[in-house]
Amino acid sequence: MRFSSLVLVLTALLVLTAAVAPARQIESMYLASPTLAKIGAAEAEGVLSSDEAALNRIYHIFDRSRVDERFLVEDETPGKSATMLIHSIQTNPEVSDEAKSVLEEYLDAPFDARAIFISPSGHFKLTYYTTGGNAVPPEDLNSNGVPDFVEWCADYMDYSWQVEITDLGFRAPGLTAGYYLVSFEDMPYYGYTQPTAGTTRIVLHNNFLSFPTNDDPDGDQKGAAKVTCAHEFKHASQYTGSHWSEGGWVEVDATWAEEVVYPATNDYHWYVGGAGSPLTQPNVSLDSGGTGSYEDCIWQLCMSEMWGNQLIVDFWTWRATHTGWGMLQSYDYIVGTQGMDLSSYYAMWTHWNYLTGARALPPFGYSDGPEYNTAAIWLNVSGLGVLRSSTVPHLATKFARHHHTNTLADYPKIVFDGAAGIDFRPQLIVEKAGGILVFDEVEVDASGHGEKVLDYPFSDISEMGLSFANCEWSGTAKSYSYQLFSEPSSGVEGIPDYGMMRLYPNYPNPFNPKTTVRFALASALPVDLTIVSPGGRVVRHLVDGETYGPGEHHVTFDGKDNAGNDLPSGIYFAKLNVGGTESQLAKMTLLK
């Protein structure tokens, strides 16, 4: 799939401040719909009252013929999930009970005229129309009296339950008379989840025709239905635990669930490639508008690819008893269980985002990274360049790329100056000759100044990326400047062309079951040598803080994890760190 030409409905238009009410934060997620954007602008300008705006939003979901013609835009791309738009109207204190009652009339449509199908697992009762505007497609190739489309969706709901509840362990939603209820409607959205009688029910689009393309091997229609079932069922699970106290962050999680349940479909790639995403606009705050949204799903996807899906299960279990905590505090807590804090995780996350699309270096980073848009670059420089200045808001970054540096003499020196007292963490993402990836950081003092001379020369660098990460949790955009210089000496009496340490390719490679990891040190240093998955998850500690003397060292890796279990075939990385901010990685292949 290619996404650069499509700016999809529901991609956050970042026009509100973090101080707005929660309902306004949610509504801001929907302003990329031309119709809803016009309604929102008219409300902000006083042309529409809160009730009038709410009614037009309700009609946009359920009966577009009643939307004020001044605002209605025909032929919009279908919106993702209407769940939080509906919820924001229901919980908005500025909307009258009378206007909310109109919404409830649509939501409480009678069920008695609908046909019923029980899913094969027995978890779901699907009700559907066979005639009228909300009718499902009539095809019944197996002639069992149930439309094929309904049977597909029943299977997709069953599989979503299997993965999300049975396999992963998320909370199961409450049932109504022994079943979870699912129905179908014709609407300009993929679907929505609605609280009802102490639990929730799900409403899916009634045919999923003419929706955006995806990569599903069964075709676009089935792909759209699959991810909607996974997405809305995750909303049902969230509501059971924390009643959607997270605001728009529930969409980060539900979009993450699409990839976990149906990884071949890749419908979420549209959002990652749309406006406001961390790839297309890395200079936009992660929580701009007061919340994360669909396009920020890779924030959580990086966590699960690094540390496993159980971390996300633990996060939402914890949220159920900590609904009063802000979401940034909550994410700070959960990454803290892995030895990081939110700011450190954000800085590291920018490495993953930089190495996407044309700059992806698989198997490092996102499993879908080569298929994503290439992260947008603020500066693309051949050689050293000149002093550059800009600004970046909190939990945002700007990327610079220096290429054709291997013809330069001497050693790289980065000089950075930012606003005083701000948690700037300039990151270096360096691809060295031989496929070695190096990640480093320019340490910044309280005045905002930082300098770093790398301990390997330009001649050893294929390409250098820089991420100017503002790791503050809030605040306005802050200024910074930087310049790349050529320094005659690294200032380190170390290994020629490598500095204090050098990690060599392992031998043999590929290997089964054993291989030797070789590294060299310039002096006696404490060593951390680990084997990590492509997602960055540590699977084996080979050396854990022991001091090794100067010279070459050899460590055998036997293809087992920390528990002594045989690792499966695949790509892994040896990761070497000697106590500083620099880490070196070398790719290895276990082939059985």
Side-chain angles (χ1 to χ4, degrees), residues 5 165-166 173 285 333 336 355:
S5 64
I165 309 303
T166 305
S285 294
Y333 163 77
L355 294 171

Side-chain angles (χ1 to χ4, degrees), residues 95-117:
V95 177
S96 71
D97 290 341
E98 182 179 3
K100 291 176 182 178
S101 70
V102 174
L103 173 60
E104 297 307 318
E105 289 178 10
Y106 283 110
L107 295 174
D108 293 336
F111 281 75
D112 53 1
R114 302 182 187 185
I116 295 173
F117 178 68

Side-chain angles (χ1 to χ4, degrees), residues 226-564:
K226 288 176 184 179
V227 296
T228 305
C229 291
H231 187 111
E232 296 303 334
F233 192 62
K234 192 61 172 70
H235 281 325
S237 175
Q238 296 160 347
Y239 188 83
T240 302
S242 53
H243 289 79
W244 299 334
S245 59
E246 298 80 13
W249 293 98
V250 301
E251 299 297 0
V252 172
D253 178 56
T255 309
W256 167 86
E258 296 179 21
E259 172 66 0
V260 172
V261 179
Y262 289 107
T265 305
N266 295 332
D267 190 75
Y268 81 102
H269 287 195
W270 289 115
Y271 306 103
V272 175
S277 98
L279 302 185
T280 62
Q281 291 180 272
N283 58 314
V284 170
S285 294
L286 173 67
D287 63 341
S288 184
T291 182
S293 189
Y294 301 86
E295 67 278 0
D296 301 311
C297 62
I298 56 176
W299 168 256
Q300 195 165 286
L301 188 61
C302 177
M303 293 180 193
S304 64
E305 292 200 6
M306 282 187 63
W307 297 307
N309 291 333
Q310 185 60 46
L311 185 78
I312 309 304
V313 178
D314 294 344
F315 176 75
W316 288 94
T317 300
W318 187 85
R319 278 294 306 170
T321 56
H322 294 79
T323 55
W325 284 50
M327 282 299 284
L328 295 182
Q329 287 178 297
S330 298
Y331 279 120
D332 183 59
Y333 163 77
I334 202 64
V335 299
T337 66
Q338 305 302 310
M340 300 186 78
D341 57 36
L342 181 110
S343 296
S344 298
Y345 174 75
Y346 180 84
M348 181 279 303
W349 182 53
T350 67
H351 303 167
W352 285 53
N353 294 342
Y354 180 85
L355 294 171
T356 53
R359 288 194 299 276
L361 294 172
F364 177 82
Y366 301 108
S367 56
D368 286 356
E371 301 170 41
Y372 292 164
N373 280 53
T374 305
I377 294 292
W378 164 57
L379 283 176
N380 205 350
V381 181
S382 178
L384 292 175
V386 297
L387 180 68
R388 300 285 187 161
S389 302
S390 191
T391 61
V392 65
H394 73 278
L395 293 181
T397 191
K398 287 187 175 178
F399 292 124
R401 172 178 175 259
H402 287 262
H403 52 94
H404 293 98
T405 56
N406 56 0
T407 60
L408 299 174
D410 302 325
Y411 293 81
K413 177 181 179 179
I414 300 95
V415 177
F416 176 89
D417 284 286
I422 299 302
D423 189 9
F424 274 113
R425 303 193 188 191
Q427 303 293 301
L428 296 167
I429 305 129
V430 179
E431 182 184 359
K432 296 176 69 174
I436 300 292
L437 273 174
V438 179
F439 302 111
D440 212 336
E441 181 175 315
V442 179
E443 296 184 6
V444 176
D445 62 26
S447 71
H449 180 76
E451 297 185 8
K452 189 172 191 69
V453 180
L454 303 187
D455 54 14
Y456 42 88
F458 277 115
S459 59
D460 195 41
I461 297 174
S462 301
E463 182 176 309
M464 177 185 294
L466 295 101
S467 168
F468 301 103
N470 178 348
C471 297
E472 294 286 327
W473 292 19
S474 61
T476 58
K478 302 301 180 182
S479 61
Y480 70 90
S481 64
Y482 92 101
Q483 189 165 0
L484 179 64
F485 295 93
S486 178
E487 188 79 359
S489 169
S490 69
V492 175
E493 293 296 330
I495 302 165
D497 295 342
Y498 284 89
M500 296 305 297
M501 61 178 174
R502 179 179 181 182
L503 178 62
Y504 296 90
N506 62 298
Y507 183 83
N509 191 26
F511 67 96
N512 179 30
K514 295 182 180 181
T515 189
T516 298
V517 179
R518 183 166 65 106
F519 63 93
L521 303 178
S523 61
L525 292 166
V527 171
D528 286 306
L529 180 62
T530 55
I531 305 299
V532 299
S533 70
R537 181 168 58 91
V538 175
V539 297
R540 179 71 179 275
H541 289 276
L542 296 178
V543 181
D544 195 4
E546 299 170 39
T547 296
Y548 280 64
E552 283 196 10
H553 303 278
H554 302 77
V555 177
T556 298
F557 171 47
D558 58 6
K560 298 181 183 293
D561 64 15
N562 283 324

Side-chain angles (χ1 to χ4, degrees), residues 16 22-32 36 43 54 57 84-85 88-89 92 95:
L16 302 182
R24 290 285 185 262
Q25 295 175 3
I26 298 302
E27 288 163 8
S28 74
M29 293 163 48
Y30 294 85
L31 293 181
L36 294 181
E43 182 182 17
R57 293 181 180 114
M84 295 311 292
L85 180 57
S88 72
I89 296 170
N92 189 344
V95 177

Side-chain angles (χ1 to χ4, degrees), residues 80-235:
K80 188 61 175 173
S81 170
T83 296
M84 295 311 292
L85 180 57
I86 293 170
H87 187 62
S88 72
I89 296 170
Q90 292 172 319
T91 57
N92 189 344
E94 298 176 13
V95 177
S96 71
D97 290 341
E98 182 179 3
K100 291 176 182 178
S101 70
V102 174
L103 173 60
E104 297 307 318
E105 289 178 10
Y106 283 110
L107 295 174
D108 293 336
F111 281 75
D112 53 1
R114 302 182 187 185
I116 295 173
F117 178 68
I118 305 301
S119 72
S121 72
H123 290 309
F124 298 94
K125 177 188 285 188
L126 294 87
T127 61
Y128 59 95
Y129 290 109
T130 56
T131 60
N134 291 320
V136 299
E139 289 79 12
D140 181 17
L141 296 181
N142 60 5
S143 301
N144 67 348
V146 180
D148 297 335
F149 177 81
V150 174
E151 292 186 284
W152 300 343
C153 291
D155 288 342
Y156 304 154
M157 292 303 309
D158 277 348
Y159 188 66
S160 296
W161 184 297
Q162 175 67 39
V163 175
E164 295 181 22
I165 309 303
T166 305
D167 295 347
L168 294 180
F170 288 107
R171 289 174 181 257
L175 306 179
T176 301
Y179 301 102
Y180 189 89
L181 302 183
V182 179
S183 59
F184 302 87
E185 291 179 13
D186 181 23
M187 55 183 158
Y189 293 86
Y190 283 64
Y192 64 86
T193 304
Q194 171 203 352
T196 176
T199 181
T200 53
R201 71 180 182 101
I202 288 172
V203 181
L204 305 173
H205 194 275
N206 67 325
N207 60 43
F208 290 105
L209 297 172
S210 301
F211 275 61
T213 59
N214 55 64
D215 293 339
D216 196 273
D218 294 326
D220 296 338
Q221 181 189 23
K222 289 183 176 181
K226 288 176 184 179
V227 296
T228 305
C229 291
H231 187 111
E232 296 303 334
F233 192 62
K234 192 61 172 70
H235 281 325

